[in-house]
Amino acid sequence: MASISSIYSSSPTLNNQKNQNASSIPIRRRSQQHLPIYQTRPKLPPTRSVAREIPTGTDLSAVQSTNHHRLEKDPRALWRRYVDWLYQHKEIGLYLDVSRVGFTDEFVKEMEPRFQAALKAMEELEKGAIANPDEGRMVGHYWLRDSNRAPNIFLKTQIDKTLDAICGFADDIVSGKIKPPSSPEGRFTQILSVGIGGSALGPQFVAEALAPDNPPLKIRFIDNTDPAGIDHQIAQLGPELASTLVIVISKSGGTPETRNGLLEVQKAFREAGLDFPKQGVAITQENSLLDNTARIEGWLARFPMFDWVGGRTSEMSAVGLLPAALQTIDIREMLLGASLMDEANRSTVIRNNPAALLALSWYWATDGVGSKDMVILPYKDSLLLFSRYLQQLVMESLGKEYDLDGNRVNQGISVYGNKGSTDQHAYIQQLREGVHNFFATFIEVLRDRPPGHDWELEPGVTCGDYLFGMLQGTRSALYSNDRESITVTVQEVTPRSVGALVALYERAVGIYASLVNINAYHQPGVEAGKKAAGEVLALQKRVLAVLNEASCKEPVEPLTIEEVAERCHAPEDIEVIYKIIAHMAANDRALIAEGNCGSPRSVKVFLGECNVDEMYA
Ligand SMILES: O=P(O)(O)OC[C@H]1O[C@H](O)[C@H](O)[C@@H](O)[C@@H]1O
């Protein structure tokens, strides 16, 4: 198996190219490799503080151009730039316009060697290199849509067999060949998908984008451990719980939120007198806790998640494909769209490689250090969740403390957005005129409605013309105020174009990560929050034990928060202890709190009942 670590480690460190006077890109010398990045990188002057120092009456655009090249404003030159840089993929029906990002020809030239190194790294990754060195894993989501690219026949067979199994199972469910055991409907009518993060965001985005108006199975999601949210989903299912297929998705098979969702759903099944295993499907890694549970309990079906597919890039695995197929979305078309896009993204010519063009634009717009946020604005309701999906893909992949050489870099690009033209009535005001800390990405869909459904709501103008006008207007209004933007245009929202969009951004993230020399495929930072949450729950158990002991005394001994903290041997955790008590008190947890919650020192607590067994446990 090849290794790409050498390619990564030979990448030059990131530098703020636009603020360099030298025409060549400074390459970090070996001897500098262990210097913290802030010592090797020129500091970017933040636009806001620069703006504050400007004397009144100064031409702001002139000041900005000291930080950024002045953007081209001549309409003819802009048209030429548009035509020169426009990327088109005919088979997908996708265009990428980066003309409203102000990178210069010199910048592109300077970046060329780094792009070649990044594209080489992608090539090695696709061949099966350990592209996720921290976890010692291959990164194989590209093989999912072209199994011939898998590095060995075993993996190829695994991919092909899983795809066939997904299609077969979905057909059997949709056709009613596999029936729920006790539903009067005689067939499954609902899907309840339980999963979080990469095990939810892709399926949510795709369902919103592509599900037909009246799918044979309607999907809903539990993607949190919020009891009220879970109750809401279950309540909405009502008697249709009996015809609900529950898909539990977790790569690790041990994510607490997903486990809790499953336990809550299983309880609802018990209470309704239903047999959960006959309606349960697991998508997880082989031999995970979830997999073993599903196997032992005899769930209806189990589908694998592969070690070499990360959660946030799992849309083309069973995670995304099974829910999509159950909604009768053409998953083979999704895969085709992704593989066509992958093929285009293998070009070593930047302007012919859409993912490289995106990465180039991101690098320029954010100075390669995430100095600007990425605002995603799809002008199409069905693409509403694209920004949420991209938020995880981009931020979990690029938001890293250390680079591959161990330098502290605190990399990342913040992503947010919703949809146009809705957002024009919300926050576009700030984008146009306020703090200049973003670049926009417009997602344009050319086809307004299915053929034969359009009408003119005023002479010569349709509803979709308004949407189009709003997009074009916002693009040019932002640009005229020096706000850069990218436009991704698709002909229609179809399984093919959605598959292509997913693949486009997956690859752009990979290339960008390589440019800034970070591992895009791990998420060490996520563990800190999980660990801290576990510590809070452990502390809660100690608090309960202390309160139980005091409450078993005669007479009962109410304790102040300080006393509880002392007895837990955790005086430094007093604030969390107070919050634990306040949370339990708000939830009728047999805990009696006296005093005023607004003044925590006045609060005294004891348990409403003494549990002698627990005292001696
Ligand atoms: O699929 P799971 O193992 O349940 O993981 C679900 C999610 O949880 C984690 O916190 C990770 O940060 C995500 O990348 C992942 O997608």
Side-chain angles (χ1 to χ4, degrees):
M1 193 180 295
S3 160
I4 55 167
S5 60
S6 55
I7 290 162
Y8 279 135
S9 56
S10 66
S11 320
T13 188
L14 63 157
N15 270 286
N16 170 20
Q17 305 308 328
K18 280 181 274 178
N19 289 283
Q20 300 289 319
N21 291 328
S23 59
S24 65
I25 291 174
I27 309 285
R28 192 185 56 244
R29 305 279 165 243
R30 281 269 151 204
S31 59
Q32 287 180 293
Q33 272 194 356
H34 297 292
L35 286 176
I37 197 76
Y38 51 80
Q39 290 181 13
T40 60
R41 190 173 64 205
K43 205 168 179 298
L44 264 182
T47 313
R48 261 199 292 187
S49 55
V50 170
R52 268 194 228 112
E53 291 156 15
I54 308 164
T56 342
T58 312
D59 175 5
L60 258 179
S61 59
V63 175
Q64 279 174 345
S65 70
T66 60
N67 299 330
H68 269 258
H69 285 260
R70 190 193 282 275
L71 295 177
E72 179 61 65
K73 292 290 164 58
D74 170 44
R76 279 171 204 285
L78 264 180
W79 165 246
R80 275 196 304 277
R81 185 172 170 80
Y82 173 77
V83 174
D84 281 356
W85 282 99
L86 184 66
Y87 170 85
Q88 181 198 14
H89 195 301
K90 280 204 185 117
E91 271 181 278
I92 299 171
L94 178 142
Y95 304 81
L96 174 62
D97 161 29
V98 292
S99 66
R100 264 47 172 191
V101 180
F103 55 78
T104 59
D105 291 347
E106 300 80 68
F107 176 76
V108 179
K109 217 170 127 205
E110 285 166 5
M111 292 297 283
E112 181 66 31
R114 298 174 69 177
F115 267 92
Q116 290 313 321
L119 294 171
K120 184 81 191 139
M122 293 305 295
E123 194 186 319
E124 298 295 329
L125 175 149
E126 286 200 299
K127 284 186 194 153
I130 302 295
N132 180 355
D134 300 47
E135 295 176 358
R137 284 180 168 145
M138 296 189 287
V139 173
H141 47 275
Y142 301 108
W143 313 327
L144 296 170
R145 44 258 195 168
D146 183 356
S147 61
N148 292 322
R149 289 195 170 263
N152 60 55
I153 190 72
F154 173 72
L155 296 183
K156 177 184 160 42
T157 314
Q158 261 191 329
I159 297 166
D160 293 344
K161 274 172 93 174
T162 305
L163 181 57
D164 288 345
I166 289 168
C167 293
F169 180 75
D171 282 351
D172 289 349
I173 293 284
V174 173
S175 67
K177 192 171 163 198
I178 300 179
K179 298 183 193 339
S182 45
S183 155
E185 310 268 347
R187 64 173 191 89
F188 283 101
T189 58
Q190 299 275 344
I191 305 163
L192 183 57
S193 177
V194 185
I196 197 167
S199 292
L201 288 159
Q204 285 169 330
F205 161 54
V206 166
E208 189 78 18
L210 296 172
D213 292 340
N214 295 300
L217 284 90
K218 190 175 167 341
I219 195 162
R220 53 182 72 247
F221 294 90
I222 290 177
D223 65 353
N224 199 357
T225 183
D226 172 14
I230 296 170
D231 292 348
H232 178 64
Q233 295 302 333
I234 293 172
Q236 286 204 321
L237 285 168
E240 277 191 89
L241 194 63
S243 58
T244 297
L245 187 71
V246 182
I247 308 180
V248 186
I249 310 178
S250 173
K251 178 177 175 180
S252 60
T255 302
E257 288 93 333
T258 305
R259 182 205 71 140
N260 295 357
L262 168 61
L263 294 178
E264 293 274 358
V265 173
Q266 285 178 323
K267 174 172 170 281
F269 268 72
R270 275 197 304 280
E271 286 171 358
L274 298 166
D275 188 3
F276 178 83
K278 300 258 171 17
Q279 296 178 225
V281 176
I283 303 178
T284 184
Q285 282 192 114
E286 216 180 330
N287 285 325
S288 73
L289 195 58
L290 173 60
D291 189 43
N292 291 334
T293 307
R295 186 169 34 79
I296 292 162
E297 292 180 2
W299 291 18
L300 183 57
R302 285 153 47 225
F303 293 91
M305 244 197 115
F306 307 121
D307 170 68
W308 36 269
V309 175
R312 56 188 171 274
T313 52
S314 65
E315 179 48 33
M316 305 288 159
S317 74
V319 171
L321 297 182
L322 181 66
L326 288 163
Q327 295 165 86
T328 63
I329 294 166
D330 188 341
I331 59 172
R332 300 224 182 239
E333 269 290 303
M334 270 174 66
L335 291 166
L336 177 63
S339 86
L340 288 170
M341 179 51 75
D342 288 343
E343 193 49 46
N345 288 334
R346 289 187 191 106
S347 169
T348 53
V349 181
I350 296 178
R351 58 169 73 228
N352 296 339
N353 178 325
L357 282 173
L358 272 189
L360 178 81
S361 304
W362 297 353
Y363 197 103
W364 170 269
T366 71
D367 301 299
V369 293
S371 63
K372 289 210 164 63
D373 302 344
M374 185 188 305
V375 181
I376 304 285
L377 288 168
Y379 275 62
K380 188 53 72 182
D381 287 2
S382 64
L383 298 181
L384 170 74
L385 297 182
F386 195 41
S387 54
R388 251 222 246 173
Y389 169 77
L390 289 183
Q391 201 167 51
Q392 185 200 21
L393 178 64
V394 175
M395 294 179 74
E396 204 166 62
S397 302
L398 301 182
K400 298 293 153 69
E401 185 159 20
Y402 297 101
D403 71 8
L404 283 161
D405 299 325
N407 301 306
R408 184 187 291 256
V409 288
N410 297 110
Q411 265 293 352
I413 303 178
S414 302
V415 178
Y416 65 94
N418 187 38
K419 65 171 168 138
S421 67
T422 316
D423 291 354
Q424 276 174 241
H425 303 271
Y427 61 82
I428 301 276
Q429 162 63 29
Q430 176 172 316
L431 298 192
R432 171 93 195 343
E433 297 182 348
V435 52
H436 187 173
N437 60 356
F438 74 96
F439 66 101
T441 304
F442 295 99
I443 313 286
E444 180 187 32
V445 180
L446 291 179
R447 165 71 70 186
D448 294 331
R449 272 190 168 133
H453 286 74
D454 231 343
W455 67 288
E456 293 180 355
L457 39 72
E458 51 189 74
V461 182
T462 65
C463 195
D465 293 341
Y466 267 92
L467 189 66
F468 163 79
M470 297 292 181
L471 188 161
Q472 299 305 330
T474 305
R475 174 176 175 267
S476 80
L478 289 181
Y479 190 77
S480 68
N481 219 14
D482 290 315
R483 274 60 175 163
E484 296 171 304
S485 67
I486 298 166
T487 304
V488 181
T489 301
V490 291
Q491 203 81 31
E492 285 183 71
V493 180
T494 59
R496 185 181 295 198
S497 63
V498 166
L501 282 175
V502 168
L504 173 63
Y505 276 84
E506 283 177 350
R507 184 81 61 146
V509 164
I511 295 174
Y512 186 89
S514 219
L515 290 177
V516 299
N517 193 34
I518 54 147
N519 179 354
Y521 308 106
H522 66 166
Q523 51 287 327
V526 177
E527 295 313 312
K530 286 187 191 168
K531 194 166 160 262
E535 283 163 9
V536 171
L537 293 177
L539 185 58
Q540 177 168 316
K541 287 188 181 154
R542 276 153 64 200
V543 168
L544 271 175
V546 163
L547 289 177
N548 192 46
E549 196 176 335
S551 305
C552 286
K553 288 198 174 143
E554 280 295 344
V556 170
E557 189 188 5
L559 299 176
T560 64
I561 308 290
E562 276 91 351
E563 285 164 343
V564 177
E566 278 306 324
R567 292 188 193 189
C568 285
H569 307 292
E572 70 286 2
D573 290 328
I574 186 159
E575 188 177 320
V576 187
I577 289 172
Y578 168 67
K579 289 183 175 176
I580 288 170
I581 287 169
H583 177 247
M584 289 201 296
N587 283 282
D588 319 320
R589 301 281 286 283
L591 183 141
I592 297 166
E594 295 169 343
N596 173 4
C597 271
S599 104
R601 283 205 182 86
S602 72
V603 172
K604 285 195 161 194
V605 280
F606 58 96
L607 291 183
E609 52 202 48
C610 147
N611 186 340
V612 181
D613 292 346
E614 199 169 284
M615 257 186 78
Y616 298 105

